[in-house]
Amino acid sequence: MTRILLVEDNETNRDMLRRRLERKGFDVVVAIDGAEGVAKAQTERPDIVLMDLNLPVLDGWEATRQIKANPQTQKTPVIALTANAIVGDREKALAAGCDEYDTKPVDFTRLLGKIDTLLQPSEVPLPKPLDPVPDVPGQAIAWTRLRYDLEQPIYTIVGYSDMLLDALVDQQNSAFASDLQKIHLSGLQLLKLIQAILNPALLEVQQQDWTADLLAPALRRELLTPLSTIMGYCELLLEESLSDLLPDLEQIHTSAQDLLSLVNNLDSLMARYLESSEERDRFDPLNFPRKQRKAIDPSIENSRVLVIAHAGSPVYRQLERQGYSVKIATTVELGLASSFDLIVLDSQTNLNVLEQLKSHEAWQHTPVLMIAAPDEMAQISQAIALGATDYLTKPFPTALLRAKVAACLEQTQMRHQLAHYEGIVEEFREYKRLEADLNQQLEALQVELEQIKRSHQATEIVQTDYFRQISSNAEPIELKPLKVLLVEDNDLNCDMLCRRLQRHGYEVVIATDGAEGVSKALSEQPQVILMDISLPVMDGWEATQHLKANAETRHIPIIALTAHAMTGDREKALASGCDDYDTKPIELPRLLSKIEDCLKSSTSK
Protein backbone atom coordinates (compact mmCIF):
# COMPACT_ATOMS: atom_id res chain seq x y z
CA MET A 1 0.00 0.00 0.00
CA THR A 2 1.36 3.42 -0.97
CA ARG A 3 2.13 5.56 2.08
CA ILE A 4 1.61 9.32 1.93
CA LEU A 5 2.91 11.80 4.52
CA LEU A 6 0.49 14.75 4.73
CA VAL A 7 2.06 17.80 6.43
CA GLU A 8 -0.79 20.26 7.12
CA ASP A 9 -1.48 22.47 10.17
CA ASN A 10 -5.12 23.33 9.36
CA GLU A 11 -7.20 20.66 11.10
CA THR A 12 -10.17 20.98 8.75
CA ASN A 13 -8.11 20.70 5.55
CA ARG A 14 -6.03 17.90 7.05
CA ASP A 15 -9.09 15.83 8.00
CA MET A 16 -10.76 16.35 4.63
CA LEU A 17 -7.71 15.45 2.49
CA ARG A 18 -6.72 12.48 4.69
CA ARG A 19 -10.20 10.95 4.41
CA ARG A 20 -10.30 11.37 0.64
CA LEU A 21 -6.86 9.83 0.18
CA GLU A 22 -7.74 6.88 2.42
CA ARG A 23 -10.87 6.25 0.32
CA LYS A 24 -8.54 5.84 -2.66
CA GLY A 25 -6.57 3.15 -0.82
CA PHE A 26 -3.59 5.18 0.41
CA ASP A 27 -2.04 4.76 3.86
CA VAL A 28 -1.89 8.34 5.21
CA VAL A 29 0.46 9.56 7.94
CA VAL A 30 -0.08 13.14 9.18
CA ALA A 31 2.19 15.81 10.64
CA ILE A 32 1.00 19.19 11.92
CA ASP A 33 4.15 21.28 11.51
CA GLY A 34 7.33 21.33 9.45
CA ALA A 35 9.58 19.91 12.17
CA GLU A 36 7.26 16.94 12.72
CA GLY A 37 7.08 16.48 8.95
CA VAL A 38 10.89 16.24 8.67
CA ALA A 39 11.01 13.76 11.57
CA LYS A 40 8.21 11.56 10.17
CA ALA A 41 9.72 11.59 6.69
CA GLN A 42 12.71 9.85 8.23
CA THR A 43 10.88 7.48 10.62
CA GLU A 44 7.81 6.57 8.52
CA ARG A 45 9.60 6.38 5.15
CA PRO A 46 6.59 7.52 3.04
CA ASP A 47 6.44 6.99 -0.72
CA ILE A 48 5.49 10.65 -1.25
CA VAL A 49 5.08 13.83 0.85
CA LEU A 50 2.28 16.41 0.48
CA MET A 51 3.80 19.53 2.04
CA ASP A 52 1.78 22.62 2.97
CA LEU A 53 4.07 25.65 2.71
CA ASN A 54 2.72 27.87 5.49
CA LEU A 55 3.46 25.80 8.60
CA PRO A 56 4.32 26.61 12.24
CA VAL A 57 7.66 25.80 13.91
CA LEU A 58 9.31 25.11 10.53
CA ASP A 59 7.76 26.34 7.28
CA GLY A 60 7.25 24.07 4.26
CA TRP A 61 10.16 25.51 2.27
CA GLU A 62 12.68 24.86 5.05
CA ALA A 63 11.16 21.44 5.85
CA THR A 64 11.54 20.44 2.18
CA ARG A 65 15.16 21.62 2.11
CA GLN A 66 15.95 19.48 5.16
CA ILE A 67 14.20 16.43 3.68
CA LYS A 68 16.15 16.81 0.43
CA ALA A 69 19.43 17.38 2.32
CA ASN A 70 19.12 14.09 4.22
CA PRO A 71 20.52 11.07 2.26
CA GLN A 72 17.83 8.84 3.82
CA THR A 73 14.91 10.96 2.54
CA GLN A 74 16.26 13.00 -0.37
CA LYS A 75 14.69 10.71 -3.02
CA THR A 76 11.19 10.99 -1.52
CA PRO A 77 9.02 13.06 -3.91
CA VAL A 78 7.52 16.21 -2.35
CA ILE A 79 4.43 18.01 -3.69
CA ALA A 80 4.07 21.57 -2.36
CA LEU A 81 0.50 22.66 -1.51
CA THR A 82 -0.32 26.31 -1.01
CA ALA A 83 -3.34 28.55 -0.84
CA ASN A 84 -1.35 31.67 -1.70
CA ALA A 85 -0.76 31.22 -5.43
CA ILE A 86 1.17 34.49 -5.61
CA VAL A 87 4.08 35.48 -7.82
CA GLY A 88 7.23 33.57 -6.93
CA ASP A 89 5.69 30.76 -4.87
CA ARG A 90 6.12 28.07 -7.52
CA GLU A 91 9.72 29.10 -8.21
CA LYS A 92 10.55 29.19 -4.52
CA ALA A 93 8.97 25.75 -3.91
CA LEU A 94 10.94 24.16 -6.75
CA ALA A 95 14.13 25.89 -5.63
CA ALA A 96 13.64 24.39 -2.15
CA GLY A 97 13.57 20.91 -3.71
CA CYS A 98 9.84 20.24 -4.24
CA ASP A 99 9.14 17.90 -7.16
CA GLU A 100 5.69 19.33 -7.92
CA TYR A 101 3.45 22.21 -6.90
CA ASP A 102 -0.33 22.48 -6.56
CA THR A 103 -2.72 25.17 -5.34
CA LYS A 104 -5.68 25.04 -2.99
CA PRO A 105 -8.56 24.30 -3.07
CA VAL A 106 -7.22 20.90 -4.02
CA ASP A 107 -8.54 19.58 -7.32
CA PHE A 108 -8.50 15.98 -6.12
CA THR A 109 -8.39 14.39 -9.58
CA ARG A 110 -5.49 16.64 -10.60
CA LEU A 111 -3.64 15.90 -7.35
CA LEU A 112 -4.07 12.12 -7.84
CA GLY A 113 -2.61 12.50 -11.33
CA LYS A 114 0.48 14.28 -9.98
CA ILE A 115 0.90 11.63 -7.27
CA ASP A 116 0.70 8.83 -9.88
CA THR A 117 3.22 10.61 -12.11
CA LEU A 118 5.76 11.07 -9.31
CA LEU A 119 5.39 7.47 -8.13
CA GLN A 120 6.28 6.17 -11.59
CA PRO A 121 10.02 5.42 -12.00
CA SER A 122 11.57 7.91 -14.38
CA GLU A 123 14.79 9.71 -15.07
CA VAL A 124 15.40 12.76 -12.97
CA PRO A 125 15.03 15.81 -15.26
CA LEU A 126 17.64 18.50 -15.29
CA PRO A 127 16.52 21.53 -13.27
CA LYS A 128 15.27 24.43 -15.37
CA PRO A 129 16.59 27.91 -14.70
CA LEU A 130 14.15 29.88 -12.58
CA ASP A 131 12.72 33.19 -13.74
CA PRO A 132 13.60 36.17 -11.57
CA VAL A 133 10.85 37.14 -9.13
CA PRO A 134 9.43 40.53 -10.12
CA ASP A 135 8.85 43.31 -7.63
CA VAL A 136 5.29 43.29 -6.26
CA PRO A 137 3.46 46.63 -5.88
CA GLY A 138 2.25 47.48 -2.37
CA GLN A 139 -1.45 47.61 -3.34
CA ALA A 140 -1.17 44.21 -5.03
CA ILE A 141 0.21 42.79 -1.79
CA ALA A 142 -2.76 44.22 0.12
CA TRP A 143 -5.25 42.61 -2.29
CA THR A 144 -3.34 39.31 -2.16
CA ARG A 145 -3.58 39.28 1.63
CA LEU A 146 -7.30 40.06 1.47
CA ARG A 147 -7.80 37.33 -1.14
CA TYR A 148 -6.03 34.85 1.11
CA ASP A 149 -8.40 35.61 4.03
CA LEU A 150 -11.50 35.29 1.84
CA GLU A 151 -10.34 32.08 0.15
CA GLN A 152 -9.79 30.07 3.35
CA PRO A 153 -13.49 29.42 4.22
CA ILE A 154 -14.25 28.86 0.51
CA TYR A 155 -11.66 26.07 0.35
CA THR A 156 -13.53 24.32 3.17
CA ILE A 157 -16.90 24.78 1.42
CA VAL A 158 -15.59 23.44 -1.90
CA GLY A 159 -13.54 20.63 -0.34
CA TYR A 160 -16.24 19.25 1.96
CA SER A 161 -19.00 19.52 -0.64
CA ASP A 162 -16.75 17.72 -3.14
CA MET A 163 -16.02 15.02 -0.57
CA LEU A 164 -19.74 14.58 0.22
CA LEU A 165 -20.51 14.28 -3.49
CA ASP A 166 -17.91 11.51 -3.72
CA ALA A 167 -19.58 9.71 -0.82
CA LEU A 168 -23.00 9.93 -2.51
CA VAL A 169 -21.90 8.41 -5.82
CA ASP A 170 -23.09 4.94 -4.81
CA GLN A 171 -26.26 6.14 -3.06
CA GLN A 172 -29.67 6.71 -4.61
CA ASN A 173 -30.25 10.11 -3.02
CA SER A 174 -30.39 12.19 -6.19
CA ALA A 175 -32.28 15.13 -4.64
CA PHE A 176 -29.72 15.48 -1.86
CA ALA A 177 -26.82 15.24 -4.33
CA SER A 178 -28.47 17.84 -6.60
CA ASP A 179 -28.66 20.39 -3.77
CA LEU A 180 -25.10 19.57 -2.72
CA GLN A 181 -23.92 20.11 -6.30
CA LYS A 182 -25.45 23.60 -6.20
CA ILE A 183 -23.43 24.36 -3.05
CA HIS A 184 -20.26 23.06 -4.72
CA LEU A 185 -20.79 25.09 -7.90
CA SER A 186 -21.62 28.25 -5.92
CA GLY A 187 -18.40 27.77 -3.92
CA LEU A 188 -16.39 27.54 -7.16
CA GLN A 189 -18.21 30.63 -8.43
CA LEU A 190 -17.20 32.52 -5.27
CA LEU A 191 -13.60 31.44 -5.72
CA LYS A 192 -13.51 32.57 -9.35
CA LEU A 193 -15.06 35.94 -8.45
CA ILE A 194 -12.50 36.61 -5.72
CA GLN A 195 -9.56 35.52 -7.86
CA ALA A 196 -10.79 37.65 -10.78
CA ILE A 197 -11.62 40.82 -8.85
CA LEU A 198 -8.57 40.67 -6.56
CA ASN A 199 -6.13 39.68 -9.30
CA PRO A 200 -3.00 41.83 -8.75
CA ALA A 201 -1.97 41.55 -12.42
CA LEU A 202 -5.39 42.79 -13.59
CA LEU A 203 -5.35 45.67 -11.12
CA GLU A 204 -1.89 46.64 -12.38
CA VAL A 205 -3.08 46.61 -16.01
CA GLN A 206 -6.04 48.80 -15.08
CA GLN A 207 -3.60 51.23 -13.43
CA GLN A 208 -6.26 52.41 -11.01
CA ASP A 209 -5.87 53.04 -7.29
CA TRP A 210 -8.72 51.02 -5.82
CA THR A 211 -9.62 52.43 -2.42
CA ALA A 212 -11.60 50.48 0.19
CA ASP A 213 -14.71 52.66 -0.20
CA LEU A 214 -14.77 51.98 -3.98
CA LEU A 215 -13.92 48.29 -4.11
CA ALA A 216 -15.66 46.97 -0.96
CA PRO A 217 -19.29 47.64 -2.06
CA ALA A 218 -18.65 46.20 -5.54
CA LEU A 219 -17.00 43.05 -4.18
CA ARG A 220 -19.66 42.57 -1.49
CA ARG A 221 -22.46 42.87 -4.05
CA GLU A 222 -20.86 40.19 -6.26
CA LEU A 223 -20.21 37.73 -3.42
CA LEU A 224 -23.50 37.88 -1.53
CA THR A 225 -25.66 36.17 -4.18
CA PRO A 226 -23.66 32.90 -4.45
CA LEU A 227 -23.07 33.02 -0.69
CA SER A 228 -26.84 33.26 -0.15
CA THR A 229 -27.26 30.14 -2.29
CA ILE A 230 -24.68 28.22 -0.25
CA MET A 231 -26.13 29.15 3.14
CA GLY A 232 -29.73 28.56 2.06
CA TYR A 233 -29.15 25.11 0.53
CA CYS A 234 -26.89 24.12 3.41
CA GLU A 235 -29.60 24.96 5.96
CA LEU A 236 -32.09 23.13 3.76
CA LEU A 237 -29.92 20.00 3.79
CA LEU A 238 -29.23 20.25 7.52
CA GLU A 239 -32.99 19.99 8.10
CA GLU A 240 -33.24 16.69 6.19
CA SER A 241 -29.69 15.25 6.28
CA LEU A 242 -28.76 11.74 7.30
CA SER A 243 -26.99 11.69 10.66
CA ASP A 244 -23.66 10.47 9.23
CA LEU A 245 -23.47 13.48 6.89
CA LEU A 246 -24.30 16.15 9.48
CA PRO A 247 -20.72 16.87 10.72
CA ASP A 248 -19.45 17.64 7.20
CA LEU A 249 -22.51 19.77 6.39
CA GLU A 250 -21.99 21.71 9.62
CA GLN A 251 -18.38 22.36 8.54
CA ILE A 252 -19.70 23.88 5.30
CA HIS A 253 -22.30 25.97 7.13
CA THR A 254 -19.77 27.26 9.69
CA SER A 255 -17.34 28.23 6.93
CA ALA A 256 -20.14 30.04 5.05
CA GLN A 257 -20.94 32.02 8.21
CA ASP A 258 -17.24 32.88 8.63
CA LEU A 259 -17.12 34.09 5.03
CA LEU A 260 -20.28 36.17 5.54
CA SER A 261 -18.65 37.86 8.53
CA LEU A 262 -15.60 38.73 6.40
CA VAL A 263 -17.78 40.02 3.53
CA ASN A 264 -19.78 42.22 5.90
CA ASN A 265 -16.52 43.73 7.20
CA LEU A 266 -14.77 44.21 3.84
CA ASP A 267 -14.41 47.98 4.34
CA SER A 268 -12.35 47.68 7.51
CA LEU A 269 -10.34 44.69 6.18
CA MET A 270 -9.39 46.53 3.00
CA ALA A 271 -8.52 49.73 4.84
CA ARG A 272 -6.24 47.82 7.22
CA TYR A 273 -4.43 45.94 4.44
CA LEU A 274 -3.95 49.11 2.37
CA GLU A 275 -2.49 50.86 5.39
CA SER A 276 -0.10 47.98 6.13
CA SER A 277 0.99 47.83 2.46
CA GLU A 278 2.64 51.22 2.95
CA GLU A 279 5.16 49.47 5.22
CA ARG A 280 6.37 46.99 2.58
CA ASP A 281 9.85 46.84 4.01
CA ARG A 282 8.41 44.70 6.82
CA PHE A 283 6.57 42.32 4.44
CA ASP A 284 8.15 39.59 2.30
CA PRO A 285 5.59 38.42 -0.32
CA LEU A 286 7.42 35.11 -0.85
CA ASN A 287 6.80 34.14 2.76
CA PHE A 288 3.19 35.37 2.88
CA PRO A 289 1.19 34.99 5.03
CA ARG A 290 3.17 35.67 8.13
CA LYS A 291 2.35 37.73 11.17
CA GLN A 292 4.18 41.01 11.52
CA ARG A 293 6.23 40.95 14.69
CA LYS A 294 6.18 44.02 16.89
CA ALA A 295 9.37 45.99 17.24
CA ILE A 296 11.40 44.33 19.97
CA ASP A 297 11.66 46.37 23.14
CA PRO A 298 15.37 47.06 23.83
CA SER A 299 14.75 46.36 27.53
CA ILE A 300 14.49 42.63 26.84
CA GLU A 301 18.22 42.57 26.31
CA ASN A 302 18.50 42.94 30.09
CA SER A 303 16.42 39.82 30.61
CA ARG A 304 17.97 36.84 32.38
CA VAL A 305 18.77 33.78 30.24
CA LEU A 306 19.73 30.33 31.54
CA VAL A 307 21.77 28.06 29.24
CA ILE A 308 21.71 24.37 30.21
CA ALA A 309 24.54 22.80 28.21
CA HIS A 310 28.07 21.48 28.51
CA ALA A 311 30.66 23.90 29.85
CA GLY A 312 32.20 24.65 26.45
CA SER A 313 28.95 25.57 24.70
CA PRO A 314 29.46 28.57 22.36
CA VAL A 315 25.83 29.70 22.85
CA TYR A 316 26.69 31.10 26.29
CA ARG A 317 29.43 33.31 24.85
CA GLN A 318 27.31 34.44 21.89
CA LEU A 319 24.46 35.57 24.14
CA GLU A 320 26.80 37.25 26.61
CA ARG A 321 28.45 39.24 23.79
CA GLN A 322 25.01 40.40 22.66
CA GLY A 323 24.35 42.01 26.05
CA TYR A 324 22.09 39.45 27.72
CA SER A 325 22.44 38.49 31.38
CA VAL A 326 23.38 34.82 30.97
CA LYS A 327 24.02 31.97 33.38
CA ILE A 328 25.27 28.52 32.29
CA ALA A 329 24.52 25.25 34.09
CA THR A 330 24.94 21.58 33.28
CA THR A 331 21.82 20.41 35.19
CA VAL A 332 18.45 21.84 36.12
CA GLU A 333 19.26 21.68 39.84
CA LEU A 334 22.31 23.90 39.39
CA GLY A 335 20.56 26.42 37.19
CA LEU A 336 17.14 27.04 38.73
CA ALA A 337 18.26 28.58 42.00
CA SER A 338 16.94 31.94 40.77
CA SER A 339 14.34 33.11 38.23
CA PHE A 340 14.96 33.41 34.47
CA ASP A 341 13.02 34.80 31.50
CA LEU A 342 14.30 32.22 28.99
CA ILE A 343 15.94 28.77 29.12
CA VAL A 344 18.20 27.57 26.30
CA LEU A 345 18.63 23.77 26.11
CA ASP A 346 21.29 21.99 24.08
CA SER A 347 19.62 18.91 22.48
CA GLN A 348 22.54 16.80 23.68
CA THR A 349 21.05 17.16 27.13
CA ASN A 350 18.41 14.56 27.98
CA LEU A 351 14.78 15.39 27.05
CA ASN A 352 13.97 14.49 30.65
CA VAL A 353 15.35 17.95 31.49
CA LEU A 354 12.60 19.53 29.36
CA GLU A 355 9.95 17.26 30.90
CA GLN A 356 11.17 18.25 34.35
CA LEU A 357 10.90 21.95 33.49
CA LYS A 358 7.41 21.72 32.00
CA SER A 359 6.07 19.66 34.89
CA HIS A 360 7.26 22.21 37.49
CA GLU A 361 4.63 24.87 38.24
CA ALA A 362 7.18 27.67 38.58
CA TRP A 363 8.84 26.90 35.20
CA GLN A 364 6.17 25.43 32.95
CA HIS A 365 5.41 28.82 31.34
CA THR A 366 9.04 29.87 30.82
CA PRO A 367 9.96 29.77 27.09
CA VAL A 368 12.49 27.09 26.12
CA LEU A 369 14.75 27.40 23.05
CA MET A 370 16.29 24.11 21.82
CA ILE A 371 19.70 23.93 20.11
CA ALA A 372 20.07 20.87 17.84
CA ALA A 373 22.29 19.29 15.22
CA PRO A 374 20.81 18.82 11.70
CA ASP A 375 20.42 15.06 12.25
CA GLU A 376 18.51 15.49 15.52
CA MET A 377 15.14 16.52 14.10
CA ALA A 378 13.40 13.54 15.73
CA GLN A 379 14.47 14.83 19.16
CA ILE A 380 13.38 18.34 18.21
CA SER A 381 9.94 17.08 17.20
CA GLN A 382 9.63 15.38 20.60
CA ALA A 383 10.80 18.57 22.31
CA ILE A 384 8.16 20.67 20.53
CA ALA A 385 5.53 18.13 21.61
CA LEU A 386 6.76 18.42 25.21
CA GLY A 387 6.39 22.20 25.15
CA ALA A 388 9.60 23.72 23.73
CA THR A 389 8.93 27.16 22.24
CA ASP A 390 11.35 27.13 19.29
CA TYR A 391 14.64 25.63 18.09
CA LEU A 392 17.83 26.32 16.14
CA THR A 393 19.98 23.89 14.13
CA LYS A 394 23.75 24.09 14.17
CA PRO A 395 25.59 25.88 12.73
CA PHE A 396 23.58 29.10 12.86
CA PRO A 397 24.43 32.80 12.40
CA THR A 398 24.55 35.02 15.47
CA ALA A 399 21.82 37.25 14.03
CA LEU A 400 19.41 34.31 13.87
CA LEU A 401 20.16 33.37 17.49
CA ARG A 402 19.50 36.94 18.56
CA ALA A 403 16.18 37.04 16.66
CA LYS A 404 14.99 33.72 18.12
CA VAL A 405 15.94 34.72 21.68
CA ALA A 406 14.24 38.11 21.26
CA ALA A 407 11.05 36.41 19.99
CA CYS A 408 10.97 34.05 22.98
CA LEU A 409 11.55 36.92 25.42
CA GLU A 410 8.82 38.91 23.72
CA GLN A 411 6.49 35.97 24.41
CA THR A 412 7.40 36.20 28.11
CA GLN A 413 6.56 39.91 28.11
CA MET A 414 3.21 39.25 26.47
CA ARG A 415 2.41 36.51 29.02
CA HIS A 416 3.10 38.96 31.86
CA GLN A 417 0.79 41.51 30.25
CA LEU A 418 -1.95 38.92 29.79
CA ALA A 419 -1.61 37.86 33.43
CA HIS A 420 -2.25 41.47 34.41
CA TYR A 421 -5.64 41.38 32.68
CA GLU A 422 -6.70 37.89 33.76
CA GLY A 423 -8.89 39.23 36.55
CA ILE A 424 -10.68 41.63 34.20
CA VAL A 425 -11.21 38.91 31.59
CA GLU A 426 -12.60 36.47 34.16
CA GLU A 427 -14.95 39.13 35.52
CA PHE A 428 -16.17 39.85 31.99
CA ARG A 429 -16.73 36.15 31.38
CA GLU A 430 -18.78 35.95 34.58
CA TYR A 431 -20.89 38.88 33.41
CA LYS A 432 -21.46 37.12 30.08
CA ARG A 433 -22.48 33.91 31.86
CA LEU A 434 -24.96 35.84 34.01
CA GLU A 435 -26.27 37.62 30.92
CA ALA A 436 -26.77 34.29 29.12
CA ASP A 437 -28.61 32.85 32.16
CA LEU A 438 -30.85 35.91 32.38
CA ASN A 439 -31.61 35.79 28.64
CA GLN A 440 -32.53 32.12 28.94
CA GLN A 441 -34.86 32.87 31.86
CA LEU A 442 -36.37 35.79 29.95
CA GLU A 443 -37.04 33.61 26.88
CA ALA A 444 -38.69 30.97 29.08
CA LEU A 445 -40.89 33.65 30.69
CA GLN A 446 -41.85 35.06 27.28
CA VAL A 447 -42.86 31.59 26.05
CA GLU A 448 -44.88 31.01 29.23
CA LEU A 449 -46.55 34.43 28.93
CA GLU A 450 -47.47 33.75 25.29
CA GLN A 451 -49.01 30.39 26.24
CA ILE A 452 -51.05 32.01 29.03
CA LYS A 453 -52.21 34.74 26.65
CA ARG A 454 -53.33 32.22 24.02
CA SER A 455 -55.06 30.13 26.68
CA HIS A 456 -57.04 33.17 27.89
CA GLN A 457 -57.99 34.08 24.30
CA ALA A 458 -59.19 30.53 23.64
CA THR A 459 -61.22 30.53 26.86
CA GLU A 460 -62.91 33.81 25.95
CA ILE A 461 -63.82 32.52 22.47
CA VAL A 462 -65.24 29.23 23.77
CA GLN A 463 -67.41 31.03 26.30
CA THR A 464 -69.17 33.24 23.71
CA ASP A 465 -72.78 32.45 22.75
CA TYR A 466 -71.86 32.51 19.07
CA PHE A 467 -69.22 29.78 19.51
CA ARG A 468 -71.58 27.64 21.56
CA GLN A 469 -74.26 27.99 18.88
CA ILE A 470 -72.07 26.96 15.89
CA SER A 471 -70.02 24.30 17.68
CA SER A 472 -72.92 21.86 17.89
CA ASN A 473 -74.01 21.82 14.23
CA ALA A 474 -71.52 23.72 12.06
CA GLU A 475 -69.16 21.92 9.70
CA PRO A 476 -65.41 22.39 10.37
CA ILE A 477 -63.80 25.28 8.48
CA GLU A 478 -60.92 24.33 6.23
CA LEU A 479 -57.99 26.73 6.76
CA LYS A 480 -56.15 27.57 3.57
CA PRO A 481 -52.39 28.15 3.71
CA LEU A 482 -51.23 31.75 3.53
CA LYS A 483 -50.10 32.73 0.06
CA VAL A 484 -46.67 34.35 -0.50
CA LEU A 485 -45.63 35.93 -3.80
CA LEU A 486 -41.84 35.53 -4.26
CA VAL A 487 -40.39 37.88 -6.91
CA GLU A 488 -36.81 36.63 -7.57
CA ASP A 489 -34.82 36.25 -10.80
CA ASN A 490 -32.03 33.96 -9.49
CA ASP A 491 -33.14 30.35 -10.12
CA LEU A 492 -31.14 28.78 -7.29
CA ASN A 493 -32.18 31.30 -4.65
CA CYS A 494 -35.78 31.13 -5.87
CA ASP A 495 -35.88 27.31 -5.64
CA MET A 496 -34.21 27.25 -2.22
CA LEU A 497 -36.42 29.92 -0.60
CA CYS A 498 -39.61 28.53 -2.16
CA ARG A 499 -38.96 25.05 -0.72
CA ARG A 500 -38.13 26.40 2.74
CA LEU A 501 -41.29 28.54 2.88
CA GLN A 502 -43.42 25.58 1.76
CA ARG A 503 -42.00 23.52 4.60
CA HIS A 504 -43.35 26.13 7.01
CA GLY A 505 -46.86 25.85 5.57
CA TYR A 506 -46.94 28.72 3.08
CA GLU A 507 -48.29 28.51 -0.47
CA VAL A 508 -45.69 30.12 -2.75
CA VAL A 509 -46.33 31.85 -6.08
CA ILE A 510 -43.25 32.80 -8.11
CA ALA A 511 -42.48 35.71 -10.45
CA THR A 512 -39.11 36.14 -12.15
CA ASP A 513 -39.17 39.90 -12.92
CA GLY A 514 -40.79 43.06 -11.61
CA ALA A 515 -43.47 43.31 -14.32
CA GLU A 516 -44.58 39.71 -13.75
CA GLY A 517 -44.59 40.41 -10.00
CA VAL A 518 -47.04 43.30 -10.45
CA SER A 519 -49.26 41.17 -12.70
CA LYS A 520 -49.34 38.16 -10.34
CA ALA A 521 -50.00 40.37 -7.31
CA LEU A 522 -53.20 41.52 -9.08
CA SER A 523 -54.31 38.03 -10.17
CA GLU A 524 -53.19 35.92 -7.16
CA GLN A 525 -53.89 38.43 -4.35
CA PRO A 526 -51.20 37.01 -1.99
CA GLN A 527 -51.17 37.81 1.72
CA VAL A 528 -47.54 39.03 1.53
CA ILE A 529 -44.95 39.78 -1.19
CA LEU A 530 -41.19 39.10 -0.99
CA MET A 531 -39.66 41.50 -3.51
CA ASP A 532 -36.06 41.18 -4.70
CA ILE A 533 -34.70 44.64 -5.58
CA SER A 534 -32.33 43.80 -8.46
CA LEU A 535 -34.79 42.50 -11.10
CA PRO A 536 -34.93 42.53 -14.93
CA VAL A 537 -37.66 44.29 -16.98
CA MET A 538 -38.79 46.34 -13.98
CA ASP A 539 -36.68 46.61 -10.81
CA GLY A 540 -38.05 46.04 -7.29
CA TRP A 541 -38.30 49.75 -6.46
CA GLU A 542 -40.55 50.51 -9.44
CA ALA A 543 -42.62 47.33 -9.02
CA THR A 544 -43.32 48.26 -5.40
CA GLN A 545 -44.39 51.78 -6.40
CA HIS A 546 -46.84 50.32 -8.97
CA LEU A 547 -48.35 47.95 -6.40
CA LYS A 548 -48.75 50.64 -3.73
CA ALA A 549 -50.35 53.00 -6.26
CA ASN A 550 -53.03 50.43 -7.20
CA ALA A 551 -56.10 50.26 -4.92
CA GLU A 552 -56.37 46.47 -5.47
CA THR A 553 -52.84 45.71 -4.21
CA ARG A 554 -51.80 48.60 -1.94
CA HIS A 555 -53.01 46.69 1.13
CA ILE A 556 -50.58 43.77 0.50
CA PRO A 557 -47.46 44.05 2.71
CA ILE A 558 -44.16 43.97 0.77
CA ILE A 559 -40.79 42.91 2.22
CA ALA A 560 -37.78 44.04 0.16
CA LEU A 561 -34.95 41.51 -0.24
CA THR A 562 -31.52 42.65 -1.38
CA ALA A 563 -27.93 41.47 -1.46
CA HIS A 564 -26.63 45.03 -1.66
CA ALA A 565 -26.78 46.07 2.01
CA MET A 566 -25.65 49.55 0.91
CA THR A 567 -26.07 52.68 3.00
CA GLY A 568 -29.52 54.14 2.27
CA ASP A 569 -31.02 50.94 0.80
CA ARG A 570 -33.37 50.42 3.74
CA GLU A 571 -34.56 54.03 3.63
CA LYS A 572 -35.03 53.83 -0.15
CA ALA A 573 -37.05 50.61 0.20
CA LEU A 574 -39.36 52.09 2.85
CA ALA A 575 -39.71 55.34 0.85
CA SER A 576 -40.82 53.37 -2.24
CA GLY A 577 -43.60 51.76 -0.19
CA CYS A 578 -42.07 48.55 1.21
CA ASP A 579 -43.38 47.56 4.62
CA ASP A 580 -40.11 45.93 5.72
CA TYR A 581 -36.59 45.17 4.51
CA ASP A 582 -34.23 42.17 4.81
CA THR A 583 -30.74 41.39 3.49
CA LYS A 584 -29.27 38.34 1.82
CA PRO A 585 -28.11 35.72 2.71
CA ILE A 586 -31.58 35.05 4.08
CA GLU A 587 -31.74 34.16 7.77
CA LEU A 588 -34.99 32.19 7.66
CA PRO A 589 -36.18 32.60 11.30
CA ARG A 590 -35.70 36.37 10.97
CA LEU A 591 -37.60 36.46 7.63
CA LEU A 592 -40.45 34.33 9.00
CA SER A 593 -40.74 36.72 11.95
CA LYS A 594 -40.98 39.70 9.60
CA ILE A 595 -43.61 37.94 7.50
CA GLU A 596 -45.71 37.26 10.62
CA ASP A 597 -45.32 40.89 11.78
CA CYS A 598 -46.46 42.16 8.37
CA LEU A 599 -49.46 39.81 8.35
CA LYS A 600 -50.51 40.90 11.85
CA SER A 601 -50.14 44.55 10.87
CA SER A 602 -52.22 44.12 7.68
CA THR A 603 -55.08 42.27 9.46
CA SER A 604 -55.26 44.89 12.21
CA LYS A 605 -55.81 47.74 9.71
Side-chain angles (χ1 to χ4, degrees), residues 253-273:
H253 190 250
T254 300
S255 297
Q257 289 177 320
D258 292 343
L259 180 59
L260 178 61
S261 177
L262 291 172
V263 170
N264 287 336
N265 291 284
L266 277 176
D267 307 74
S268 58
L269 278 172
M270 289 183 171
R272 184 166 74 247
Y273 288 150

Side-chain angles (χ1 to χ4, degrees), residues 139-140 143 197-208 210 215:
Q139 192 184 67
W143 296 151
I197 295 174
L198 297 178
N199 184 335
L202 181 61
L203 293 171
E204 184 180 357
V205 170
Q206 292 175 336
Q207 294 183 344
Q208 178 174 354
W210 285 97
L215 187 54

